[in-house]
Amino acid sequence: QVQLVESGGGLVQPGGSLRLSCVASGSIRSIVGMGWFRQAPGKQRELVAITGYGGETKYADSVKGRSTISGDNAKNTVYLEMNSLKPEDTAVYYCNINDGFKSYWGKGTLVTVSL
């Protein structure tokens, strides 16, 4: 059974930065895509960033210019670095890994941006 475990969340002050990590373990096929999503209380889950097998990346407009997604396929790991954090970035962040057959989700890590 595939398991994804996120880490790196916590309380961050506005203007601060963080680095989220997600490690996948278990029976997983070759990774073809990795991504980060987030869900704020009472709101729908939304895409934050994705990266493909060839290293191409896409970002949500709300995080462009201050976020970087990267992956290490050999380690089944995906990272999300964010800076200039804003209170509206507060959400539970979920990682997602696609192996060409299905998508796998982590349980999420809470990021709270506040003084």
Side-chain angles (χ1 to χ4, degrees), residues 11-108:
L11 177 62
V12 185
Q13 295 185 347
S17 62
L18 59 75
R19 188 191 195 199
L20 303 179
S21 300
C22 175
V23 180
S25 62
S27 300
I28 187 171
R29 302 186 183 188
S30 180
I31 296 174
V32 297
M34 303 178 177
W36 285 93
F37 296 73
R38 67 186 182 186
Q39 185 170 19
K43 297 184 178 180
Q44 296 292 320
R45 185 176 300 186
E46 65 178 358
L47 173 69
V48 177
I50 55 174
T51 181
Y53 178 81
E56 64 273 25
T57 59
K58 294 183 182 297
Y59 299 89
D61 290 341
S62 60
V63 303
K64 285 182 179 179
R66 59 190 185 92
S67 299
T68 301
I69 185 171
S70 60
D72 187 336
N73 290 346
K75 297 182 178 180
N76 293 338
T77 302
V78 60
Y79 306 94
L80 178 68
E81 296 180 55
M82 298 185 68
N83 55 59
S84 300
L85 287 165
K86 308 173 182 179
E88 50 263 44
D89 292 319
T90 296
V92 176
Y93 285 69
Y94 300 88
C95 68
N96 175 273
I97 295 178
N98 187 284
D99 68 357
F101 176 69
K102 65 177 294 184
S103 293
Y104 303 94
W105 293 90
K107 295 182 179 180

